[in-house]
Amino acid sequence: MQSSFNWEFLSDDNGAYTDFKEKMTYGDYLQLESLLNSQKRLSDHHDEMLFIVIHQVSELWLKLMIHEIESATTAIKQDEFQTAFKMLARVSKIQSQIIQAWDVLSTLTPSEYMEFRGYLGNASGFQSYQYRLVEFVLGYKTPHILKIYEKNPVLHQRLKAAFEAPGLYDVSIQALAKQGFPINQLVLSRDFSKEYIQDSTVADAWLAVYRDTESYWDLYQLAEKLVDIEDWFQQWRFRHMKTVERIIGHKTGTGGTSGVGYLKKVLDHYFFPELWEIRTKL
């Protein structure tokens, strides 16, 4: 019986390229050989592959988040709000993907994880430098974190630069000042390596924006984009905490933290506190 599958049709008549001896392929462009050979299990346990892939995928999404947030920060500085809004909207969509990754990881049971957990040593997501970069570009600065990366001078310098630079919220506050709102000068000229502290002049400015959205439409949209990001970030933190609790309970983390206790504590942190405070006042 003659096969109905016509290879010649697929390779020629439909115009698809089949000769890549001198051309770049999809795999070449994405460097798939390197990417797909980066999952090196330390144990023979089947589920360690899941553990590695979930964390690697999350790191790729974090890389894109940093790329978008840094570019959005620059755009806001230059009063290019529409450009920034597109980037920040993309960040929120990325966050939804990272949150769903916890759903996949939560299929790992405590018994399965304990079969290979000992192979991890002190390696922990707590040490993720990209996660720290996301915190830094969003404005959450914790100085003791930098010590973790001292063994890599290039990486340490990159983190230090982000640590000392104004974050996304800082340039948003500067945008308020540019629009004529009387922002406390100590806030505008503050040491950006210090954790941001709420300020009444910033709260008053955002409140005025929300009470007159037509006059301050760009600032209003900016505020809502920031709230979107913080909302998704808190949902990510919560899913992280619950997934860890589901898999290891209240054991100490491999990185030496209190595990679930540490993750619960950071749930109380706000990147953009005034934007949440004013909701009660509206």
Side-chain angles (χ1 to χ4, degrees):
M1 179 172 136
Q2 186 176 0
S3 171
S4 61
F5 201 96
N6 191 326
W7 285 100
E8 184 177 351
F9 174 79
L10 285 179
S11 61
D12 295 329
D13 292 359
N14 72 347
Y17 291 109
T18 57
D19 183 1
F20 285 94
K21 291 177 182 176
E22 304 296 333
K23 297 184 179 75
M24 179 177 66
T25 66
Y26 170 82
D28 295 334
Y29 175 67
L30 295 178
Q31 299 185 53
L32 285 182
E33 186 173 353
S34 174
L35 184 65
L36 297 178
N37 281 294
S38 296
Q39 294 73 47
K40 310 293 185 183
R41 286 186 292 168
L42 299 180
S43 74
D44 293 326
H45 198 278
H46 172 84
D47 293 314
E48 189 182 355
M49 181 64 75
L50 162 69
F51 192 79
I52 293 171
V53 168
I54 286 295
H55 287 85
Q56 288 183 341
V57 168
S58 295
E59 288 292 336
L60 286 172
W61 282 128
L62 288 173
K63 182 173 185 175
L64 186 54
M65 281 179 62
I66 294 163
H67 175 70
E68 299 294 344
I69 295 171
E70 287 182 336
S71 296
T73 299
T74 299
I76 294 167
K77 280 183 182 178
Q78 298 170 350
D79 299 326
E80 297 173 358
F81 289 101
Q82 295 304 315
T83 300
F85 296 158
K86 176 67 181 294
M87 295 168 178
L88 296 177
R90 182 175 292 161
V91 170
S92 293
K93 294 297 184 182
I94 295 167
Q95 290 175 294
S96 72
Q97 295 297 309
I98 296 182
I99 291 169
Q100 289 179 23
W102 293 121
D103 295 338
V104 182
L105 187 59
S106 66
T107 64
L108 180 68
T109 69
S111 298
E112 290 163 346
Y113 181 49
M114 293 310 295
E115 290 290 327
F116 63 85
R117 187 181 191 234
Y119 288 89
L120 304 181
N122 295 123
S124 165
F126 179 79
Q127 298 144 15
S128 167
Y129 75 85
Q130 290 199 126
Y131 175 77
R132 298 306 170 186
L133 273 173
V134 169
E135 287 191 329
F136 290 173
V137 296
L138 290 178
Y140 183 41
K141 311 293 179 70
T142 45
H144 66 279
I145 292 298
L146 289 175
K147 187 171 180 60
I148 297 172
Y149 310 99
E150 288 179 348
K151 67 178 288 185
N152 185 328
V154 174
L155 178 56
H156 184 266
Q157 183 55 42
R158 183 185 178 194
L159 283 157
K160 189 171 182 290
F163 184 78
E164 295 173 349
L168 179 61
Y169 197 44
D170 294 308
V171 298
S172 298
I173 293 172
Q174 291 167 7
L176 289 170
K178 287 181 184 178
Q179 286 292 316
F181 289 103
I183 303 298
N184 184 348
Q185 189 58 41
L186 293 176
V187 173
L188 297 173
S189 60
R190 74 186 190 87
D191 181 350
F192 297 116
S193 68
K194 306 294 184 184
E195 186 175 357
Y196 176 75
I197 298 174
Q198 284 182 251
D199 184 86
S200 60
T201 63
V202 174
D204 289 344
W206 284 127
L207 189 59
V209 167
Y210 274 77
R211 283 177 171 164
D212 188 0
T213 59
E214 289 188 11
S215 297
Y216 303 109
W217 185 246
D218 282 344
L219 291 173
Y220 173 61
Q221 287 189 87
L222 174 58
E224 284 298 292
K225 289 290 186 290
L226 296 180
V227 170
D228 284 343
I229 288 173
E230 176 130 47
D231 189 349
W232 282 110
F233 204 95
Q234 288 296 73
Q235 291 184 55
W236 182 89
R237 280 172 163 169
F238 179 78
R239 288 295 294 125
H240 185 188
M241 182 269 292
K242 294 306 292 184
T243 302
V244 170
E245 185 176 22
R246 175 172 177 159
I247 296 174
I248 68 167
H250 289 263
K251 293 185 183 71
T252 300
T254 50
T257 70
S258 58
V260 170
Y262 169 79
L263 296 173
K264 282 184 175 179
K265 185 173 70 172
V266 296
L267 282 172
D268 293 328
H269 171 263
Y270 285 91
F271 293 107
F272 320 125
E274 290 88 356
L275 289 175
W276 296 91
E277 175 191 321
I278 63 167
R279 281 157 159 73
T280 307
K281 298 179 180 179
L282 282 170

